[in-house]
Each structure stands twice: as C-alpha cells, then as structure tokens.
C-alpha cells in the first residue's frame, strides 16, 4: 500500500503569471475550464475569460493568456409571470399588504425584486457552463451564463475579441409558459389567479434557473425535401429550475441563435429544493444511455430519465434511479460524472462523485446481464471545512476538492473486485502561494494544470483588510508525463492538448534543448506510423527550440524610442540632418519593433535573419549562428513535408468530386507541378494520383487570373501568388487558391491564412475550408 501511494505522489509547482481579477468572484463554482482551453471566472460585474495559448512565436517562459470578458446586462431581469399591467398591480398589492408574511416575503425575495430598491441590486453571475467542442460557428465552445438575477443567456466568441449574446433562454422560456397559461401539459388543472400570492410564487419558481449543464454532441436525423435523411449534429442544454422542473433545450449545430433551437421539453424531477445538475451519459454494447443526475439541498441524489426524440442510438432509463435517498440535511454542492473502464468486469462504467458538506459521496454505475448495478459510499476525513469547489480530470477519473482554507485534495479511484476505493493526498496551496483562501478550482482538459481563485489568507492571526482576487495556476503533471501523453495521444490534435504542449514548451525554453528521450521517441513514431500529427509535434518542438535560442530584446517593445524622437526634432537646415538620415532612423525603429513583436505572428524567416545579424555582429558566436541555421533548415523541411501531405489530400478531393476539373477553382495543375518540381521528392502515392488527375485534365491548364490586371497567377510559392505585373495575393493554406479579397481568415497562432467560403463553392470545398491549421492544429477565424 505504501509503494502504491508513493507512485501517486504529486509535486505541485506554481506557474506564472497570476491573473488579477477586476471584481470579486461570485456564485457557486465560479471557475470552469472549457475543452478549447478557456477558463471562465464568474465575478460581480462580468465573466472574465482567460484563454490559454501555446504560442510558438513567443520566447517568454510565462504562460500565454488571452483575456476577454462577458459583461453583465445593464437592466435587471424581470421574469414573465403575466401581463405587465397586471404584474405591476399585484406587486403593489403584495408590497402594501397588511399581512406581514406576505409583504415581508415579497419585499425580501430577490427573485421578485432583482433591481433592489431598498436592497442592494443583484449584480454579477451565479454560474457558467461550457458546451462541448464544436458547437459555435468556428467549431469551438459556447458559454451558457446565469446571472444573479436569473437571466440565462448563451454567448459565443466569434472574432476572439468580443463576446456576442446569441439567445436569451429566460425570455424564450417565459414566453412559452405564458402561451401555455403556465401549465406543463394540457391535462394539467387550470392555474390560479396571479393576485393569489402562492400562484405568484409558483409562476416565479417554475422559471427561476438554479443550474444548467450541456450534454455531449449527439446525432439527429433530418428529413430533407426529397425525403432523404441526413445526419445533423445537435447538443442539449438541461436547465434545472427552483421548483424541480428541468427544461431540456435541443440545439442544431453550429448554434447560430434563436433559429437553431430545435425543441424544448420540460421534465418533472420530483426533487424538492434542487441544488445541482449533471448529465449521465453511458455507453454499453454500442447502445448509449442518457439521464440527468439531480441533487437536493436536503441530501437526496437521483437520476432522471431523459427521452431523446429523433436522436440516433440513444436509449434511456425506464424509471428514476435513486443514488442516495437519505434526507440528512447535507446539501449536494457539486456533481461530476466520469466515464471509466472497469478492468475487472471488462466493460465501461460511470463514476458519479458529489460534494456533500465536507464529504465526498461516490456511486459506481455498471450495467451487467443482471441489470444496473449501483455501488455507493462516502469518503470522509478529507476536509475540516465544507467543500467549496470540486473538479475532475475526465481522462483518468482523478477528482480534486478544495475547502476555503487553501487545502486541495486529490482523489484517485482504484478499482477493486467489488467496487472501488480512493487513494487521496493533500495539496497545501500555502506551500505554493503562501497563506491564501480559496474560492474555486478547475482542472485543465488534459489534467496538466489546476486553476485556483485565491485571496490573501490570515497573516499573524489577522484577516486582510482588502481582498485581491487572483486566478493562479499549479502544475499537476511533470514534463515527462506530458510528453508521454502527447506521444501516445488518441486525439492526435495539438490544439486540443494545449495544456500539455505548454508544459513541454516551458521545459524547452528553460533548458534550451529538446530532451534526447523525446527526440528519439518522436523519430520512432514518425518512422513506424507516419501520421502527420507527429510531424506537427516535431515542428512545434523545433519552433520552440528556435525561440529559446533567440536573443531577447533589450528594451520593452511597446515603449517609444527616444533616440528616434531626437532625430525627428533635428529636422532643420542648420543641424546638417538630411532626409536620408531620417529615413534610416525610422527604418531602424521599425525593424526593432518587428523583431520584438513576436506575439503578433512574425514570420519565422524574418526573425531568423534579424537574430543571425545580431549574433554575428556581437562576434564569437559562430556556433550559435550555425545552430540557428540548422534548426531553421529543419523547420522548413518539416513545413514542406506537411504542405505536400495536405496538397495530396486536396488533390484527392479534387479527383473524387469533379467530373471535369474545369469545374473547380482550385489551381490543380499548379499544385501538381509544385509537387513534382523537386527531384528529391519521390512519393509513389502522389505520382499515381497526379497521373490520374493529369489524364483527366487532358492537357488543359485552367490557370488562375489576377483580378486587377487579368494576368495569369503562376503557382511557384505555397504562401503567395505574384502576377507578371507584380500584384501579390496570399494563398489559402487549406485549398491553395489565391485570396483575391481584402477579407480573409487567420489561424489562432497566426501560422496561416485562409479564404472565406463563397456561396458558389461546392460542399467539398466548404468542408476543406472548415479544417484546422495544417501546422499547429489551431482553428481558423
């Protein structure tokens, strides 16, 4: 047992920078980490969103974070419980009632009076939840946000700088209830008068959201006009209300707004004082089960069946399953459902973990020939204070809990013949950050980092006068673990593993070399497998190594240079200054700025030349110059390999989807000639494919033409096209067409540019344009 626990030892290391919040954290579980590596922090004025990037153009060792915010609405949310005039009359009647049980209950209830009046206004956010990857127009995550005054909205970050509200679900649900006369089905008894205080309370509680959670992406069948069926992706959002009802919204993907809503069904859970919600999604013998786990403020936990109409391959429970039935007054604060594989039973299973006061309740769900098996128990002795936040690494089932005193527990599930047990260890954040209080935790998608909201703890037995809320990061994996996970990844996408690549980036920037074991393992993978993922991983390592050897700029790049200002001031005949001198001075300034502006996606070749000039000028650094040239040559070779592989894919699509190649706008002949131009490139697959395509083209060329002068655009460079008159057009890296417009898209790390799809493009070209960057796997905006 001692040896087993020693194998799980975790050494938490602080990761800079700490991000200071402009406002205090608010709500329950204020921290959430999305699948596309964005951390949302619910605060008293907005949701701060911190996006983690593994930037290959930055030589700094700190974590690269892009920060945006979702502002809270300016107007208070008034739930729709009836006609405006009637609601105003009822409010006045209840406020001036002689019965104190009515007047005081009405005046002090923040659902009835969100704008405050004599009370402080309800500002800020109660909860936020991220959708799975692939839900918005860019194929990234949507953010569902619940404000303190019960407004539930869905937001998307389409241009990276601004968040856009796509739909207000509170308003839509209120309108649905109003049209249905506040009855869930027509068989229900007619509702009472709004002037009755119990009816006034009922109409508010049936549309006051408590929590909301997204399901995984599922497939629905859509019937077209010609009676053909096509598969359409959809996602579900379950919203738990104060009275125990659950509204399940179904959205068609990509979610664009109100028009993407497919349906909304309301389920009665039968749980009084519900507090938390989570999806249960289970796969058994290729049959997918689904349900909703609901927890109560009084203690019980149960799974509610969800009947998914028109969803392929989904089944549901016949009746609710009670996981914990005791009304022991321990409120359920947080629920996580983790899919795992049972090594003894040789089948998949679900681990449900719930925070109840200072304890962790767990339940193992397993479907066998006998039916659904339920094993449950509690883990005690973890914290001396109630658990304020809980998060889980869904890849290996590790659970993290924290209390407000700065203590985090790591719980690792270990299967036994009967059920499971937990190995747990304490992480003292005071040893990493000093004396702190914790308000929330979240683990990164691949389990590399733990984000923590902290404020100052007690000093010399005294509480701090002011609270400074910060989001701080702690490493949970070593460099070796991160590298091994990247090499054995089933995802094979660098963008989806940014937290792991950031750990690798940090190590290489510190040591200024790629460890030998990683180089050898990666070369073996490339030889045996040949997947382009490993080539992209190699390109990533080489780029980071190149950045680690760059000479850091001696001055802050954003600060204006005073020397150049003096040159400009001396513009007078008596000073002997000429126009040539001034131009030389400003060009030096521009070159300094372009060298330092590595975060803006500067081309590697340009920075290479600058650094080479610097190092050769300093003298005695010839080995460094040779090393940089060698790395640069390796980078160019790997980029060329990835380009050729993608060109083969594009040519394959051209061959499959065009009867005669003049129907395509892709420069087919140019791509073929580019692939065959290098005598050293001998790829039998490419030669056979090109042979078929050239036979199809029948000696015709169909060249691209410059839109300005109508001259032919030759295909001599994969990055740009230059006509004989010198007009330069950038090439789309996804289709290799010239982007002859002023508007185009860029990938997240500014590696490549892509054109926008046009209405006349066929479906297969639109599908090509939806792809990620061929060099860094990041999405294109």
């Amino acid at each position: 047992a001692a040896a087993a626990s020693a194998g799980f030892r975790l050494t938490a290391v602080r990761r800079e920078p700490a991000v200071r919040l402009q406002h205090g954290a608010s709500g329950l579980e204020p921290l959430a980490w999305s699948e596309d590596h964005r951390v949302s922090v619910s605060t008293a004025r907005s949701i701060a969103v911190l996006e983690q990037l593994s930037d290959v153009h930055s030589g700094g060792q700190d974590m690269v974070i892009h920060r945006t915010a979702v502002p809270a609405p300016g107007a208070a949310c008034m739930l729709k419980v009836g006609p405006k005039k009637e609601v105003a009359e009822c409010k006045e009647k209840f406020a001036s009632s002689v019965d104190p049980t009515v007047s005081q209950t009405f005046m002090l209830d923040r659902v009835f009076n969100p704008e405050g009046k004599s009370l402080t206004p309800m500002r800020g956010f109660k909860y936020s939840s991220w959708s799975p990857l692939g839900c918005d127009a860019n194929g990234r995550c949507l953010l569902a946000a619940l404000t303190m005054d019960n407004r539930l909205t869905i937001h998307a970050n389409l241009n990276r700088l601004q968040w856009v509200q796509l739909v207000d679900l509170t308003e839509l649900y209120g309108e649905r209830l109003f049209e249905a006369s506040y009855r869930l089905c027509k068989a229900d008894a007619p509702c009472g008068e709004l002037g009755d205080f119990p009816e006034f309370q009922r109409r508010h509680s049936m549309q006051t959201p408590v929590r909301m959670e997204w399901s995984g992406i599922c497939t629905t069948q859509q019937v077209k006009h010609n009676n053909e069926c096509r598969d359409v992706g959809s996602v579900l959002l379950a919203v738990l209300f104060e009275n125990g009802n659950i509204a399940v919204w179904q959205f068609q993907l990509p979610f664009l707004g109100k028009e993407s809503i497919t349906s909304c069904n309301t389920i009665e859970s039968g749980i009084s004082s519900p507090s938390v919600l989570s999806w249960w999604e289970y796969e058994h013998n290729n049959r997918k089960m689904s349900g909703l786990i609901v927890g109560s403020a009084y203690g019980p936990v149960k799974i509610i069946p969800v009947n998914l109409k028109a969803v392929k391959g989904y089944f549901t429970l016949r009746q609710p399953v009670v996981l914990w039935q005791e009304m022991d007054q321990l409120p359920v604060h947080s629920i996580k459902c983790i899919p795992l594989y049972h090594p003894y039973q040789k089948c998949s299973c679900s681990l449900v973990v719930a925070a109840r006061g200072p304890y962790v309740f767990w339940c193992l769900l397993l479907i066998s020939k006998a039916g659904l098996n339920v094993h449950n128990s509690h883990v005690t002795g973890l914290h001396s204070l109630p658990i304020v936040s809980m998060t889980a690494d869904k890849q290996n089932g590790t659970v993290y809990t924290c209390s407000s005193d700065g203590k985090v527990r790591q719980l690792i599930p270990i299967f036994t013949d009967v059920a499971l047990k937990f190995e747990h260890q304490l992480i003292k954040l005071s040893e990493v950050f000093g004396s702190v209080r914790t308000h929330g935790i979240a683990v990164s998608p691949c389990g590399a980092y733990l984000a923590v909201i902290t404020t100052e703890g007690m000093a010399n037995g005294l509480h701090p006068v002011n609270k400074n809320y910060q989001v701080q990061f702690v490493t949970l994996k070593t460099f070796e673990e991160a590298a091994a996970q990247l090499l054995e990844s089933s995802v094979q996408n660098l963008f989806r593993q940014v937290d792991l690549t950031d750990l690798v980036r940090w190590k290489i920037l510190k040591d200024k070399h790629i460890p030998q074991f990683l180089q050898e393992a990666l070369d073996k993978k490339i030889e045996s497998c040949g997947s382009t993922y490993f080539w992209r991983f190699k390109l990533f390592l080489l780029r980071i190594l190149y950045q680690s050897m760059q000479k850091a700029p001696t001055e802050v790049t954003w600060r204006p240079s005073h020397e150049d200002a003096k040159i400009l001031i001396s513009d007078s005949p008596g000073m002997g200054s000429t126009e040539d001198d001034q131009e030389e001075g400003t060009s030096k300034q521009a070159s300094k700025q372009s060298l330092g502006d590595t975060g803006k996606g500067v081309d590697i070749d340009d920075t290479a030349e600058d650094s080479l000039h610097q190092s050769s000028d300093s003298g005695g650094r010839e080995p460094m110059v040779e090393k940089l040239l060698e790395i640069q040559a390796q980078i160019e070779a790997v980029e060329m390999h990835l380009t050729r592989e993608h060109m083969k894919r594009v040519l394959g699509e051209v061959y499959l989807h065009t009867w005669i190649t003049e129907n395509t706008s892709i420069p087919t002949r140019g791509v073929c000639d580019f692939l065959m131009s290098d005598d050293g490139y001998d790829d039998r697959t490419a030669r056979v494919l090109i042979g078929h395509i050239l036979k199809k083209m029948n000696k015709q060329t169909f060249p691209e033409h410059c839109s300005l002068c109508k001259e032919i655009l030759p295909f001599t460079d994969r990055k740009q096209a230059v006509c004989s008159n010198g007009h330069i057009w950038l090439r789309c890296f996804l289709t290799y067409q010239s982007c002859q417009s002023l508007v185009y898209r860029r990938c997240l790390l500014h590696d490549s540019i892509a054109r926008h799809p046009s209405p006349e493009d066929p479906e297969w070209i639109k599908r090509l344009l939806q792809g990620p960057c061929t060099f860094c796997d990041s999405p294109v905006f």
Side-chain angles (χ1 to χ4, degrees), residues 117-311:
K117 293 185 179 176
S118 58
L119 303 170
T120 55
M122 295 285 283
R123 293 292 302 274
F125 287 86
K126 189 188 297 184
Y127 189 66
S128 65
S129 177
W130 290 100
S131 76
L133 196 62
C135 290
D136 75 354
N138 290 323
R140 301 192 72 186
C141 300
L142 296 164
L143 180 64
L146 178 60
T147 61
M148 283 290 190
D149 57 3
N150 303 305
R151 189 194 302 271
L152 174 58
T153 50
I154 296 177
H155 301 260
N157 179 210
L158 300 176
N159 61 5
R160 293 204 65 227
L161 294 177
Q162 182 184 10
W163 285 88
V164 179
Q165 179 182 309
L166 298 179
V167 69
D168 185 337
L169 291 182
T170 298
E171 184 182 337
L172 288 182
Y173 194 68
E175 288 172 1
R176 282 171 176 261
L177 289 175
F178 180 71
E179 290 167 6
S181 301
Y182 298 93
R183 292 184 294 175
L184 294 181
C185 60
K186 293 179 181 178
D188 289 353
C191 60
E193 294 294 325
L194 187 61
D196 298 333
F197 193 57
E199 174 65 18
F200 188 80
Q201 287 177 307
R202 185 186 79 88
R203 292 191 189 183
H204 276 89
S205 68
M206 72 189 303
Q207 52 182 313
T208 303
V210 177
R211 288 281 180 100
M212 66 285 177
E213 294 295 341
W214 297 89
S215 73
I217 292 176
C218 46
T219 307
T220 57
Q221 283 195 331
Q222 190 180 61
V223 181
K224 297 165 74 173
H225 294 298
N226 58 357
N227 286 333
E228 283 185 10
C229 285
R230 73 181 185 111
D231 290 346
V232 177
S234 64
V235 69
L236 305 170
L237 180 69
V239 185
L240 178 65
F241 294 103
E242 206 175 59
N243 67 342
N245 290 349
I246 303 169
V248 181
W249 296 86
Q250 187 173 13
F251 305 129
Q252 187 175 320
L253 299 180
F255 183 73
L256 303 172
K258 195 174 178 179
E259 65 274 13
S260 300
I261 297 174
T262 308
S263 64
C264 177
N265 299 311
T266 304
I267 305 167
E268 295 185 60
S269 71
I271 284 191
S272 57
S273 295
S275 60
V276 70
L277 178 75
S278 180
W279 278 95
W280 176 63
E281 292 173 319
Y282 183 90
E283 192 165 348
H284 173 67
N285 291 343
N286 296 324
R287 289 163 61 99
K288 293 176 181 176
M289 305 281 285
S290 67
L292 284 163
I293 310 167
V294 184
S296 168
Y298 296 141
V301 181
K302 70 177 180 179
I303 303 179
I304 310 296
V306 179
N307 189 17
L308 302 178
K309 295 177 182 177
V311 178

Side-chain angles (χ1 to χ4, degrees), residues 37 119 213 315 353 368 376 405 415-416 434 447 476 480 491 494 510 586 620 625 640 647 756:
H37 304 278
L119 303 170
E213 294 295 341
F315 300 86
V353 186
S368 65
N376 61 20
D405 56 0
F415 284 95
T416 62
L476 298 175
E480 290 77 14
V491 177
L494 291 176
K510 279 196 298 185
T586 50
V625 175
M640 184 55 71
M647 281 181 172
H756 284 275

